[in-house]
Amino acid sequence: MSSDRMLFLASERVGAGANLISRDIVRFGTIGRIAEIETLPDEMARVRIDGIQRGKILRLRRRNGVFEAQVHSIKHRRSKLSRAVHKEFDYAMNLFDTYMEYCDAAGLPSGSFWRCSVDPKDNLDIWCDIIAGNLGSAIARTKRQTLLETLSPQRRIKLLGSVIKEKIEELGKNPEVLNRVQAQRQKARDEADQAKRQREVEITSKLEKLKKEILEVLKLPSTRPKSAALRSVAEFPMMPIRDTVVLPLDQMPFVVGREFSVAALNQALATDKRIFLAAQHDAKADNPGSQEIYRIGTIASVEKTLNLPDNHVKVLVEAVQTGAALKISRRHGHFRAKVEFVTELERPSPETISALSDTWELVRDHHLTDADQQKLLELYHSDGPLECIRQSMDMMMAARKSRS
């Protein structure tokens, strides 16, 4: 093993004997890096290797009992994929789940599906390789090798779906396997229905508890500021967020990936750890303009960060209070916002904080839309927590009625 922990992984040819020679090795394989080694009691070793990229052997020799290869590395072909290719990928993903079911019913090893932190929407070729690499020995080695040697992402994704479908059809010809799959699915449906009923009971109980909490909170004096003199303006690094709304006095984990968002996060960490979070009008916009971001947002404190392997950052924030962006600009590679907020804000009572915590949990349980959550945020900013809780109850009751 070299000092950089790099290896080239290649398959043996079908029919190769125990004493391998150069021509027994397939020339196309994977360049990998050893991530972890575990010594087993029988003097064997379990090794975890991270695959980096494809490679082709230019020269191979065996010296001192070890194969040494001169390898030509093959870079990923990154190109914009069509909508049809995205559909092919979704099809392959769904087939993979079915394939795992059939392998389990047939008692065949199906591999273990390792998740990765990259977004499938933007990295279909990487996800395709992850699925292909975890098909297990149920898929013939020659077919897995063909997937490895298919360089075009479009062709590889289509081929992956065909290979999995062919194996499912083969396994499905066995009546016993088919019956086991159907029994597994029925069991899963029954368990899901039971969990759903249990969850409905829990949500109903929490709603009743929340109603009682609100009655107690209503007896307390209002904490809403009445003087405009208590308001101040300051500038914060700002992060536009999508697919979620950070609500006041709540803790929220999420993953940051866009360069301008990571830059804003780093700026907050370099100062007082405060950052202004505001939702985008359109969650699909990768590069929103200042006019595409809501003005009412949340001033939050960055509590924890964790760097992920794909240059993304997992962050935990605690929402301190709401604020209104008077001006949003973009400088030094990230957004900044001039925010008006209350400087001498009296912290809500423990009863109010408890009621808010239950409210936000139920809001997410009821899957209220981002637009509805943004309305609640704006209501909290203008009218305070009690009115926000009242409106939350109405929205959740309407959502329950709609579902039932």
Side-chain angles (χ1 to χ4, degrees):
M1 182 179 68
S2 60
S3 59
D4 59 4
R5 303 173 76 88
M6 302 295 286
L7 283 174
F8 184 70
L9 307 172
S11 297
E12 303 171 13
R13 296 190 187 278
V14 176
N19 191 18
L20 293 178
I21 57 177
S22 296
R23 66 168 175 262
D24 292 330
I25 306 296
V26 176
R27 285 327 193 232
F28 205 103
T30 304
I31 300 169
R33 178 182 289 112
I34 296 174
E36 199 174 301
I37 301 177
E38 179 188 357
T39 303
L40 302 177
D42 56 359
E43 297 184 356
M44 301 288 281
R46 181 185 288 118
V47 184
R48 183 171 70 83
I49 300 174
D50 295 334
I52 297 173
Q53 64 186 111
R54 289 166 167 76
K56 187 174 183 179
I57 296 175
L58 300 178
R59 184 182 174 202
L60 181 65
R61 64 177 179 176
R62 186 167 183 171
R63 187 169 60 176
N64 300 326
V66 177
F67 282 104
E68 295 178 346
Q70 181 183 353
V71 177
H72 167 65
S73 60
I74 300 170
K75 294 183 179 178
H76 283 297
R77 292 185 179 182
R78 301 310 299 269
S79 58
K80 190 171 182 180
L81 302 179
S82 67
R83 185 175 296 179
V85 176
H86 278 256
K87 287 184 178 179
E88 288 279 1
F89 176 77
D90 292 339
Y91 174 68
M93 285 280 281
N94 291 330
L95 281 175
F96 182 77
D97 290 337
T98 306
Y99 165 75
M100 297 279 277
E101 281 185 308
Y102 273 78
C103 285
D104 185 46
L108 294 173
S110 58
S112 55
F113 190 19
W114 288 69
R115 297 279 176 182
C116 80
S117 56
V118 297
D119 187 345
K121 296 177 184 176
D122 301 323
N123 299 274
L124 298 191
D125 53 340
I126 296 176
W127 270 81
C128 178
D129 284 344
I130 289 171
I131 297 172
N134 287 278
L135 291 174
S137 57
I139 301 291
R141 186 195 305 175
T142 52
K143 293 190 181 294
R144 285 181 278 147
Q145 183 68 27
T146 302
L147 281 166
L148 177 67
E149 295 182 14
T150 303
L151 299 184
S152 165
Q154 294 93 329
R155 292 177 184 172
R156 190 161 68 250
I157 289 168
K158 189 169 184 178
L159 177 61
L160 176 66
S162 299
V163 168
I164 298 174
K165 181 183 177 185
E166 183 181 324
K167 189 63 182 181
I168 291 171
E169 289 174 349
E170 178 190 324
L171 293 172
K173 291 177 182 177
N174 185 329
E176 290 184 13
V177 171
L178 201 57
N179 289 337
R180 287 191 201 118
V181 168
Q182 291 171 348
Q184 288 171 357
R185 289 177 178 175
Q186 185 60 51
K187 181 181 178 182
R189 283 193 292 268
D190 292 343
E191 289 175 351
D193 288 342
Q194 184 178 355
K196 184 178 179 181
R197 288 192 295 270
Q198 181 62 32
R199 191 62 180 153
E200 285 294 324
V201 171
E202 290 175 3
I203 290 174
T204 301
S205 174
K206 287 180 180 179
L207 278 171
E208 293 301 322
K209 177 175 176 284
L210 184 55
K211 288 177 186 176
K212 294 177 182 177
E213 287 178 351
I214 291 173
L215 292 175
E216 293 300 318
V217 170
L218 289 173
K219 300 174 185 177
L220 300 172
S222 173
T223 57
R224 182 183 170 194
K226 299 176 181 177
S227 171
L230 295 175
R231 295 189 176 274
S232 183
V233 174
E235 191 172 74
F236 299 97
M238 185 196 131
M239 189 188 300
I241 55 176
R242 48 185 175 182
D243 297 324
T244 190
V245 175
V246 180
L247 298 164
L249 301 176
D250 192 19
Q251 282 197 334
M252 170 75 73
F254 54 90
V255 175
V256 181
R258 293 179 289 185
E259 288 185 10
F260 54 79
S261 293
V262 174
L265 178 63
N266 289 335
Q267 181 61 33
L269 292 172
T271 51
D272 61 0
K273 294 189 176 183
R274 288 191 298 174
I275 192 167
F276 186 67
L277 306 172
Q280 298 178 192
H281 294 175
D282 180 5
K284 295 180 181 178
D286 288 325
N287 193 19
S290 59
Q291 299 304 315
E292 300 174 274
I293 303 169
Y294 286 105
R295 271 2 192 206
I296 303 298
T298 311
I299 301 169
S301 171
V302 180
E303 298 298 307
K304 293 180 182 178
T305 60
L306 174 64
N307 293 324
L308 301 175
D310 54 355
N311 296 323
H312 287 45
V313 181
K314 189 170 185 179
V315 60
L316 174 69
V317 299
E318 182 173 1
V320 179
Q321 64 185 108
T322 58
L326 304 178
K327 181 182 178 182
I328 297 174
S329 58
R330 192 166 176 174
R331 316 194 294 273
H332 308 300
H334 65 273
F335 285 98
R336 296 192 66 82
K338 187 177 288 186
V339 181
E340 183 184 54
F341 61 100
V342 177
T343 51
E344 298 179 16
L345 183 67
E346 183 182 345
R347 186 169 177 79
S349 67
E351 293 86 353
T352 304
I353 293 174
S354 176
L356 278 170
S357 177
D358 286 342
T359 300
W360 301 153
E361 182 184 358
L362 288 167
V363 160
R364 295 189 177 102
D365 280 337
H366 283 75
H367 305 293
L368 292 189
T369 65
D370 291 345
D372 282 341
Q373 292 186 46
Q374 180 66 30
K375 288 178 185 176
L376 293 176
L377 179 66
E378 294 175 2
L379 191 65
Y380 186 103
H381 181 74
S382 60
D383 293 348
L386 298 186
E387 188 57 34
C388 177
I389 292 173
R390 288 193 191 97
Q391 291 289 339
S392 300
M393 293 287 292
D394 291 342
M395 286 183 180
M396 287 186 283
M397 290 298 188
R400 284 174 67 81
K401 187 179 292 186
S402 175
R403 283 206 303 270
S404 62

